[in-house]
Amino acid sequence: MRITLRETADKLKSAEKILLTAHINPDGDAIGSTLAMLQILRAMGKNVSAYIDDKIPKNFLTMPCVEEIQRPAEGEKISADLLVVLDTSIDRTGKVIDITDAPILNIDHHVTNKGENIYLYDEPTAAATCEIIFKLCEELGANITKEIAICLYSGLATDTGFFNYSNTKPATFRAAASLVECGVQPNLIAEKFEERTFRELKVMSAALQTTKLFFGGKVVGMFIDEELFKQTDTTEGFIDLIRVIDSVDVAFVLTCREKNLCRVSMRSKTVNVAEIANKLGGGGHIRAAGCTIQKSFFEAKNILVHAIGQYMIETEKLTSKEFLLNQEISLADFEI
């Protein structure tokens, strides 16, 4: 059931024990919105806990209250009045969805969220779920402390590519400006999220060597196998290294986390990658989306490249001839 922002606030006000969660493979918006809600609701006197079924990337470990995010234990059960799912549809919460029978309130900004059999507030025009939480503060009568502002700004900044992506709107800048007035120092947040160890830089270099072009250079992919993935804490930002190629419309990073478990992140300039991700069981935004493919690394690569090419044919971004004559071009094929 789709509800209004006012009704969303009312649901939160009426619940006493609240469980928060976000999606697996959490990014800045998932973590930021979770931590902001945790602090907002506690200030209202609520009994709140936060669970995310995945590892928190090290670049986010200095965010306020991040140490309170737990991972669900095997067989764990929690009694709650409300389960609040942030920045995702409920099918991407991993094991958290199974640890409580509480009614679900879903707050999201992804156009692919169907929100069946739950309470859903979905605002696809919002740049980030943190932008929605910023507006929700007014409905709740919540005071935005410096700590809450840091969490919300972090989600806004990372989901907009530090205000470079097409989802950045005037309302996004207005929210960011208000958060800076609450004490956020944008330079410190940018420096923390851009920070890399020397080893991570070496992994990024190795990942670049796996880059291949498809369909006459309209699609580019980076392929991080299980061995390479074990050498890094996160692949956050890797896609930004390849999406800037001049001929490219669709960029993707395919990461093998473990045997028969591959994660996909996609970005585009004109193609609706949310629809491609949706066909593969994922979702996201028109220009930024992702999914999980439970196949071997080799099979996942073929499935993904074919799905992208087929969709681009259907939407006339690619000709049948370009699709049939596809030839992989790797970095090694270029003279540098």
Side-chain angles (χ1 to χ4, degrees):
M1 177 194 300
R2 291 184 180 271
I3 60 176
T4 66
L5 195 63
R6 164 54 62 186
E7 290 170 328
T8 300
D10 290 341
K11 293 285 182 190
L12 292 169
K13 287 177 180 178
S14 63
E16 289 303 319
K17 189 173 183 182
I18 300 172
L19 175 63
L20 304 174
T21 193
H23 55 78
I24 55 175
N25 195 26
D27 56 11
D29 194 25
I31 298 167
S33 58
T34 300
L35 294 176
M37 283 300 301
L38 178 73
Q39 296 170 80
I40 291 164
L41 293 170
R42 280 200 178 155
M44 294 169 60
K46 307 295 182 182
N47 182 343
V48 192
S49 57
Y51 283 75
I52 292 179
D53 189 20
D54 216 332
K55 185 178 180 181
I56 306 298
K58 73 174 182 62
N59 293 63
F60 301 112
L61 291 178
T62 58
M63 291 176 67
C65 298
V66 70
E67 70 281 355
E68 298 211 34
I69 296 179
Q70 306 173 65
R71 290 190 74 171
E74 194 67 39
E76 185 175 7
K77 289 292 182 182
I78 296 176
S79 173
D81 300 322
L82 193 65
L83 170 62
V84 181
V85 176
L86 297 158
D87 196 40
T88 185
S89 54
I90 63 174
D91 57 326
R92 294 193 64 226
T93 58
K95 296 175 184 175
V96 179
I97 201 71
D98 300 320
I99 67 175
T100 184
D101 296 324
I104 298 172
L105 171 61
N106 191 185
I107 304 173
D108 194 15
H109 70 129
H110 293 96
V111 69
T112 51
N113 195 329
K114 302 294 190 296
E116 298 172 352
N117 303 317
I118 59 172
Y119 297 108
L120 171 66
Y121 180 78
D122 189 22
E123 189 178 334
T125 57
T129 297
C130 280
E131 187 175 313
I132 298 172
I133 304 304
F134 173 78
K135 294 196 298 183
L136 185 60
C137 284
E138 185 176 350
E139 295 287 350
L140 291 169
N143 176 49
I144 300 179
T145 63
K146 180 180 177 179
E147 290 72 27
I148 292 171
I150 289 170
C151 296
L152 293 177
Y153 185 93
S154 297
L156 276 181
T158 52
D159 246 30
T160 59
F162 284 83
F163 311 100
N164 284 321
Y165 296 163
S166 61
N167 61 340
T168 307
K169 302 293 192 299
T172 315
F173 284 117
R174 285 193 288 269
S178 294
L179 296 170
V180 171
E181 289 174 344
C182 291
V184 170
Q185 295 175 275
N187 61 307
L188 298 184
I189 290 177
E191 287 166 11
K192 176 53 64 176
F193 290 155
E194 291 170 354
E195 192 175 81
R196 295 285 185 271
T197 64
F198 183 69
R199 181 180 182 182
E200 287 169 340
L201 203 62
K202 298 282 282 185
V203 172
M204 291 176 86
S205 176
L208 270 174
Q209 298 303 312
T210 72
T211 301
K212 293 184 183 296
L213 291 170
F214 301 89
F215 311 122
K218 292 183 178 180
V219 176
V220 64
M222 179 183 283
F223 301 90
I224 301 171
D225 62 20
E226 191 175 353
E227 182 179 351
L228 188 57
F229 178 70
K230 287 177 181 177
Q231 299 176 44
T232 185
D233 179 69
T234 179
T235 57
E236 188 76 23
F238 280 36
I239 199 164
D240 295 322
L241 300 173
I242 58 174
R243 68 179 183 84
V244 295
I245 297 172
D246 55 359
S247 66
V248 163
D249 194 328
V250 176
F252 68 83
V253 174
L254 177 66
T255 305
C256 183
R257 296 296 187 94
E258 56 188 69
K259 186 179 180 180
N260 295 330
L261 180 62
C262 299
R263 297 269 175 83
V264 178
S265 178
M266 289 184 280
R267 300 287 186 274
S268 75
K269 294 171 184 172
T270 70
V271 172
N272 187 340
V273 288
E275 292 194 1
I276 299 171
N278 197 36
K279 290 176 185 290
L280 296 172
H285 311 287
I286 293 174
R287 300 286 175 259
C291 62
T292 298
I293 302 177
Q294 294 183 327
K295 297 286 185 181
S296 71
F297 195 44
F298 178 76
E299 289 175 299
K301 171 191 169 183
N302 290 336
I303 290 168
L304 179 60
V305 172
H306 181 82
I308 293 171
Q310 194 63 49
Y311 181 80
M312 290 178 72
I313 289 175
E314 293 169 3
T315 54
E316 300 182 344
K317 302 289 186 181
L318 194 69
T319 66
S320 297
K321 184 177 181 180
E322 286 174 317
F323 180 75
L324 292 171
L325 294 178
N326 174 49
Q327 181 180 5
E328 295 179 19
I329 306 171
S330 71
L331 197 62
D333 294 322
F334 289 90
E335 300 252 349
I336 299 176

